[in-house]
Amino acid sequence: MNVKPLGNRLLIKPVKEEKKTEGGIVLPDSAKEKPQKAEIIEIGKLEEDFDLKVGDKVIFSKYAGTEIKIDDVEYIIIDVDDVLAKIEE
């Protein structure tokens, strides 16, 4: 299925990071905070000139957007204003 966000929105895929304690215990998902890093999958029609493109990694507001599941993969549709920073590696 192909999803194209409308207006000033982005379709992002959260980057899941495995968390361990100092003792080496892997924490379950229920004990972790929501991820704030994601990869841009699709971009709607942006009204302003943002320096974002498909494949960029971004940091977004903690509880922003609407979570959806497509083919058992979790995505979030967020407003471009909820992007706080672009990660440059």
Side-chain angles (χ1 to χ4, degrees), residues 10-16 35-42 56-58 60 68 70 72-78:
L10 307 171
L11 178 69
I12 60 174
K13 181 178 177 183
V15 176
K16 306 233 180 197
Q36 287 183 267
K37 293 181 185 176
E39 179 181 353
I40 297 175
I41 304 299
E42 279 289 336
D56 283 348
K57 298 223 181 341
V58 295
F60 60 97
I68 61 171
I70 303 170
D72 292 329
V73 180
E74 293 185 14
Y75 298 96
I76 302 174
I77 298 176
I78 64 168

Side-chain angles (χ1 to χ4, degrees), residues 16-36:
K16 306 233 180 197
E17 298 175 358
E18 187 175 90
K19 300 267 184 170
K20 290 185 181 181
T21 64
E22 290 181 20
I25 299 171
V26 177
L27 296 173
D29 287 338
S30 60
K32 297 180 201 173
E33 291 186 9
K34 289 182 73 166
Q36 287 183 267

Side-chain angles (χ1 to χ4, degrees), residues 40-68:
I40 297 175
I41 304 299
E42 279 289 336
I43 299 176
K45 185 174 181 182
L46 301 180
E47 295 172 4
E48 298 177 31
D49 186 29
F50 291 95
D51 185 27
L52 298 173
K53 62 185 181 304
V54 173
D56 283 348
K57 298 223 181 341
V58 295
I59 297 174
F60 60 97
S61 296
K62 190 173 254 182
Y63 295 102
T66 301
E67 297 176 359
I68 61 171

